[in-house]
Amino acid sequence: MSDYRTKDCCKECKRYYEENDWKRDYIYNKFPIDDEQTDKIKDISQGISRMPKSLYKYKSAAFCKDNLKDDTMWISYSNELNDPFECQISMGNDKEKLEKMYNNDLGLEPELFKQARKYNYKNNLEKDLRPIYDEFRKCVAVGSFSEEFNLVHMWSYYGGSHNGICLRYDFQKVKHLHSDIYPVVYQKCLPDITATNNDKNCDNYFYRALLTKSLSWKHEKEWRIIKFNNQDTNGYDIEMPKPKSVFLGCRLSNADKEEIKHICKEKKIDVWEMELSKDEYAMLFKKCTNE
């Protein structure tokens, strides 16, 4: 895998990693891929301590009300997400090593290769492994958050074109979710499964793939909850803590606005309203009186 320590890493990737080095270290230490890295694992609580105090969930009005009432959140399986590269891996350029991994000559036993051997896939490993990996992706559900609530593009993409809401969660106080939520790292290259020689940690590359996206998405400043659950749906609801605050989109209809404010009043949740700056391309916000 290419990161900013390698000569082939692009300048943009290097610049991003230099600014977000601790996130990469946290993911790499949490999911090591070889003995050398395993020996150098830092206390992962250091990564948790640097988690933003609040994380934000953008939602369209049509899909937020029941979740807001019930303190739940919809998470989608990775193959249903809007990025076709979601949770993808590279099979690498070392075809000999890939074949050895398939034949178990290196002692590697990730589920991907177990299934490949089951169906005797070896004529074109990269081609034959892809469908198996796609099945794996269908078992991984993802819930996404952002570090900021006033990003115009996030309101446009995920907040119903500003007709939705944004929920603020205080994750530092929700310790039972710390083991399920991670920062996303952004880079030029896909995770390369042939980069590991450790049979105990080979599956960790799959976890890294779940938390790696292209640099073109870095403006989302994403964190993820990851759940493994094989259901015949495109996603499901999980329990969440009560939001600390709710931000109303600047185009939210009056009817939706009043309904959401009523829910928040009953649940004693602060409500803020987004509005456009008159001088800049920026989002402003003001607290609502929840009468």
Side-chain angles (χ1 to χ4, degrees):
M1 179 190 295
S2 174
D3 64 27
Y4 77 86
R5 291 186 174 92
T6 61
K7 63 182 180 180
D8 61 333
C9 181
C10 66
K11 291 182 179 179
E12 184 180 8
C13 186
K14 179 178 179 180
R15 184 167 57 252
Y16 167 77
Y17 271 122
E18 287 173 345
E19 295 171 355
N20 296 271
D21 196 52
W22 71 271
K23 293 180 181 178
R24 180 193 56 80
D25 283 345
Y26 176 64
I27 297 301
Y28 281 24
N29 291 331
K30 179 71 174 179
F31 303 110
I33 61 166
D34 55 46
D35 291 326
E36 180 181 4
Q37 284 184 308
T38 303
D39 293 339
K40 295 180 180 179
I41 291 180
K42 303 172 184 176
D43 184 356
I44 63 171
S45 64
Q46 294 179 11
I48 294 174
S49 69
R50 298 189 66 173
M51 177 187 295
K53 181 178 180 181
S54 298
L55 291 172
Y56 301 89
K57 179 67 178 178
Y58 294 82
K59 296 281 292 183
S60 65
F63 300 104
C64 72
K65 296 170 188 174
D66 287 341
N67 286 152
L68 184 58
K69 289 177 184 177
D70 302 335
D71 293 330
T72 57
M73 185 183 75
W74 178 264
I75 60 176
S76 300
Y77 287 104
S78 62
N79 62 309
E80 298 287 338
L81 301 178
N82 60 351
D83 179 7
F85 282 101
E86 197 66 63
C87 306
Q88 291 286 2
I89 58 172
S90 167
M91 301 297 178
N93 296 317
D94 190 342
K95 303 306 178 184
E96 180 179 354
K97 185 173 183 180
L98 188 64
E99 185 172 351
K100 286 183 177 181
M101 294 173 79
Y102 170 83
N103 292 328
N104 203 27
D105 291 345
L106 298 181
L108 303 178
E109 277 285 309
E111 190 64 30
L112 181 66
F113 292 99
K114 290 180 183 178
Q115 292 297 317
R117 287 192 293 275
K118 177 180 178 181
Y119 294 105
N120 197 29
Y121 287 157
K122 62 180 180 181
N123 292 328
N124 186 334
L125 278 180
E126 182 166 3
K127 179 182 178 181
D128 291 334
L129 287 171
R130 287 293 176 188
I132 299 175
Y133 185 67
D134 287 343
E135 290 299 313
F136 165 80
R137 292 170 62 219
K138 293 178 182 178
C139 299
V140 181
V142 175
S144 299
F145 303 86
S146 177
E147 295 179 7
E148 298 184 25
F149 66 90
N150 58 347
L151 300 175
V152 176
H153 54 272
M154 294 294 285
W155 279 102
S156 300
Y157 296 163
Y158 307 109
S161 297
H162 300 263
N163 289 296
I165 66 174
C166 182
L167 300 93
R168 173 192 171 194
Y169 292 100
D170 189 349
F171 273 94
Q172 288 191 342
K173 294 182 179 179
V174 190
K175 297 188 183 301
H176 71 278
L177 287 176
H178 284 179
S179 61
D180 294 321
I181 189 163
Y182 310 95
V184 171
V185 295
Y186 304 94
Q187 62 186 44
K188 177 182 178 182
C189 303
L190 292 171
D192 177 2
I193 194 174
T194 64
T196 179
N197 290 312
N198 190 318
D199 61 327
K200 296 180 180 179
N201 296 322
C202 187
D203 284 341
N204 280 351
Y205 244 115
F206 298 123
Y207 285 94
R208 288 193 184 185
L210 299 173
L211 298 167
T212 303
K213 289 178 69 69
S214 164
L215 278 165
S216 60
W217 296 91
K218 70 181 185 301
H219 57 279
E220 295 193 352
K221 302 179 180 180
E222 186 179 356
W223 286 66
R224 290 184 161 183
I225 285 179
I226 295 177
K227 298 285 187 179
F228 292 86
N229 193 341
N230 189 8
Q231 298 185 16
D232 190 21
T233 63
N234 59 355
Y236 57 95
D237 284 325
I238 61 171
E239 292 184 7
M240 289 291 292
K242 184 178 75 172
K244 182 80 171 178
S245 309
V246 171
F247 297 85
L248 308 178
C250 64
R251 292 177 174 174
L252 187 64
S253 70
N254 288 332
D256 285 333
K257 189 180 299 184
E258 292 307 312
E259 185 177 358
I260 291 169
K261 287 172 68 175
H262 176 72
I263 296 171
C264 290
K265 182 178 181 180
E266 289 189 337
K267 296 177 71 68
K268 298 181 180 179
I269 300 172
D270 289 340
V271 181
W272 300 75
E273 189 167 359
M274 305 302 296
E275 58 184 28
L276 303 181
S277 169
K278 296 180 180 180
D279 305 303
E280 301 177 90
Y281 293 110
M283 303 294 296
L284 306 178
F285 55 98
K286 62 180 181 181
K287 192 166 186 178
C288 295
T289 55
N290 211 348
E291 301 297 336

